[in-house]
């Protein structure tokens, strides 16, 4: 065997080794990424879809804003920065809402479909900066804004559930991406590694290949 052929074989072995290392790392990271995404993306997205929010914003008016401190006083929170820890300080905002679309609201007197219900920033009532800023949320919907109408989204399944943010398209997109990308990367990486290093995998795959007659 010529020296150039040996060099090509060594290059191919080296490339295969580093490719295998990258594929193994990708499979390993994909598993942990998927486990990380379950509580932070998958569960909230599924809960939002199950709540079946009206995609059109309706009309809300804040009625009460309570700022509390201490775990015993923060049994719930309209907005919490961090979904895995107990809240020691919280904003609790209550609203009335009417099913009149906010786009049709013209400062008229409304009949409130639900009164004094909890108002949440999203389905979970929590999130992480910079997308969730509870101080800004409280200034926008609490404090001195009582009586000022603003758009909100109510659940058609749980009528007492009202949130400030909702997009069916964004929710579905985040759910599909968080499920598809880690799993596809894991399956592709493990599939290639199995084909290369599992002796029986290559032979079993060959059974499904087309065999063309030699000329």
């Amino acid at each position: 065997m010529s020296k150039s052929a040996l060099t090509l074989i060594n290059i191919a072995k080296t490339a295969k080794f580093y490719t295998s290392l990258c594929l193994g790392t990708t499979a390993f990271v994909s598993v942990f990424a998927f486990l990380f995404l379950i509580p932070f993306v998958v569960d909230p997205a599924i809960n939002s879809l199950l709540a079946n929010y009206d995609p059109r914003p309706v009309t809300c008016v804040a009625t009460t804003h309570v700022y509390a401190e201490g775990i015993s006083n923060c049994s719930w929170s309209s907005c919490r920065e961090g979904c895995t820890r107990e809240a020691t300080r919280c904003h609790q905002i209550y609203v009335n809402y009417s099913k009149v679309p906010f786009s049709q609201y013209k400062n008229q007197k409304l009949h409130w479909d639900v009164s004094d219900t909890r108002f949440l920033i999203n389905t979970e009532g929590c999130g992480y900066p910079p997308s969730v800023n509870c101080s800004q949320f409280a200034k926008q919907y609490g404090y001195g804004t009582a009586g000022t109408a603003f758009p909100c989204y109510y659940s058609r399944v749980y009528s007492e559930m009202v949130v400030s943010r909702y997009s069916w398209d964004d929710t579905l997109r985040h759910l599909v991406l968080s499920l598809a990308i880690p799993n596809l990367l894991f399956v592709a990486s493990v599939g290639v590694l199995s084909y290369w290093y599992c002796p029986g995998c290559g032979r079993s795959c060959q059974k499904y290949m087309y065999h063309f007659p030699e000329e």
Side-chain angles (χ1 to χ4, degrees):
M1 187 177 291
S2 64
K3 184 176 181 181
S4 60
L6 290 173
T7 302
L8 290 175
I9 291 174
N10 290 332
I11 292 175
K13 288 182 177 180
T14 303
K16 184 177 181 180
F17 169 78
Y18 284 109
T19 303
S20 300
L21 184 63
C22 291
L23 290 173
T25 303
T26 300
F28 184 78
V29 171
S30 297
V31 173
F32 281 93
F34 180 67
L35 294 176
F36 175 81
L37 289 171
I38 288 176
F40 295 108
V41 178
V42 177
D43 279 350
I46 291 175
N47 290 335
S48 294
L49 294 176
L50 291 177
N52 191 21
Y53 291 103
D54 189 333
R56 300 178 305 167
V58 297
T59 307
C60 271
V61 170
T63 58
T64 307
H65 175 204
V66 176
Y67 173 75
E69 295 185 356
I71 295 178
S72 60
N73 296 323
C74 292
S75 58
W76 72 278
S77 177
S78 292
C79 179
R80 183 157 45 101
E81 294 175 4
C83 299
T84 57
R85 62 181 179 84
E86 293 290 341
T88 56
R89 294 180 295 176
C90 59
H91 295 276
Q92 298 174 342
I93 300 175
Y94 293 85
V95 299
N96 298 340
Y97 79 80
S98 170
K99 294 181 181 179
V100 173
F102 184 73
S103 60
Q104 300 177 12
Y105 173 71
K106 298 179 180 179
N107 293 320
Q108 72 268 32
K109 187 176 181 180
L110 296 174
H111 164 73
W112 302 116
D113 292 279
V114 176
S115 301
D116 289 322
T117 188
R118 297 176 180 181
F119 181 61
L120 306 177
I121 189 171
N122 52 36
T123 302
E124 305 298 318
C126 62
Y128 296 88
S131 61
V132 170
N133 185 322
C134 292
S135 298
Q136 182 179 355
F137 173 82
K139 291 179 181 178
Q140 182 176 359
Y141 298 106
Y143 296 116
T145 63
T148 302
F150 56 85
C152 61
Y153 302 86
Y154 76 95
S155 169
R156 288 179 286 200
V157 178
Y158 312 106
S159 60
E160 73 282 358
M161 185 178 293
V162 188
V163 298
S164 64
R165 303 176 183 175
Y166 178 71
S167 170
W168 189 89
D169 293 335
D170 290 344
T171 301
L172 185 62
R173 181 172 63 253
H174 293 159
L175 178 61
V176 171
L177 291 177
S178 60
L179 290 174
I181 293 177
N183 287 286
L184 288 176
L185 289 175
F186 177 79
V187 170
S189 301
V190 172
V192 173
L193 292 174
S194 299
Y195 182 80
W196 281 350
Y197 296 103
C198 177
C201 295
R203 290 194 295 269
S204 61
C205 290
Q206 289 176 0
K207 294 191 300 183
Y208 300 99
M209 295 178 63
Y210 291 100
H211 297 278
F212 298 95
E214 296 182 0
E215 296 182 357

